[in-house]
Amino acid sequence: QKQVVAAIAHRWKTHKAAVISGEPAAGKMQPLHCRIKTPSGWTTMGELIVGSVIIDPYNAEELRVTAVFDHGERPIYRVELHGGFSTECGLEHLWYATHDTGGVGVVSLETILKRGITTKERPAWYIPVLEFDHPTDPSVPTWKMRAIRSITRVLPNAPCRCIQVSAKHGLYVTDDNII
């Protein structure tokens, strides 16, 4: 884990962006209605099956879903970011996040809520969003850190799952290009 955190910190220092993943069922769960980016547009988490093709956030190439893990019903929260980006997840969802005090690492939504989303009336937490604004090639994805604006419980319970993908990093692009 120390090596992973060191790699993330290095990527943040050099690129002001980083992405993190985890093993299946290790805190990446989302409700079945969340959108997942595919080469032909969007599908939902609930529509994904083993063999489905989705987008790789590193290079916008194709990834395959290699496993699906259902988590049962969980309370659902909407995480809204500055810039109009939002997605939904449960309290156990793990985020790669930076804190305005300089901390970088993996943190659960529950921890973010407990520590507060603002400090001294400024945003406290930032998470990655995939954007296609590369200066020389707009087809190349880049990552931008966006401040969390609000977290709201939106559903008392909803069916949730996570997926495993064919890339070692285990990442996928969800609602509003949030990684």
Side-chain angles (χ1 to χ4, degrees):
Q1 287 180 337
K2 288 179 183 179
Q3 291 172 329
V4 170
V5 171
I8 292 166
H10 174 74
R11 175 128 176 104
W12 176 251
K13 276 183 179 175
T14 58
H15 302 286
K16 294 296 182 227
V19 179
I20 189 150
S21 65
E23 291 301 314
K28 300 178 297 173
M29 71 93 180
Q30 289 190 276
L32 301 183
H33 63 263
C34 282
R35 297 179 320 140
I36 307 297
K37 195 163 190 99
T38 74
S40 59
W42 294 90
T43 190
T44 64
M45 180 66 83
E47 293 171 339
L48 293 175
I49 60 172
V50 172
S52 293
V53 177
I54 62 172
I55 292 292
D56 187 327
Y58 279 96
N59 54 25
E61 293 181 6
E62 294 183 355
L63 292 177
R64 295 242 179 240
V65 174
T66 58
V68 175
F69 301 90
D70 290 315
H71 288 271
E73 294 206 355
R74 305 286 175 94
I76 302 301
Y77 294 79
R78 178 173 293 119
V79 178
E80 294 186 45
L81 310 178
H82 286 276
F85 304 94
S86 69
T87 192
E88 295 179 358
C89 64
L91 289 173
E92 308 87 2
H93 188 85
L94 297 178
W95 295 97
Y96 163 73
T98 61
H99 192 270
D100 76 337
T101 59
V104 177
V106 179
V107 61
S108 70
L109 183 65
E110 183 173 28
T111 299
I112 292 171
L113 281 168
K114 285 180 181 175
R115 291 185 61 189
I117 62 168
T118 60
T119 57
K120 299 180 184 175
E121 300 179 19
R122 296 181 318 165
W125 298 96
Y126 298 80
I127 58 176
V129 173
L130 184 72
E131 295 187 18
F132 291 89
D133 62 353
H134 191 276
T136 58
D137 185 353
S139 69
V140 174
T142 58
W143 298 304
K144 302 284 173 78
M145 298 305 283
R146 298 288 181 169
I148 295 176
R149 184 172 59 112
S150 67
I151 300 171
T152 309
R153 187 168 175 176
V154 292
L155 293 171
N157 285 296
C160 297
R161 73 167 43 147
C162 71
I163 57 173
Q164 181 176 352
V165 298
S166 56
K168 193 180 248 186
H169 56 67
L171 301 173
Y172 56 90
V173 181
T174 189
D175 301 306
D176 287 341
N177 289 328
I178 297 172
I179 300 170

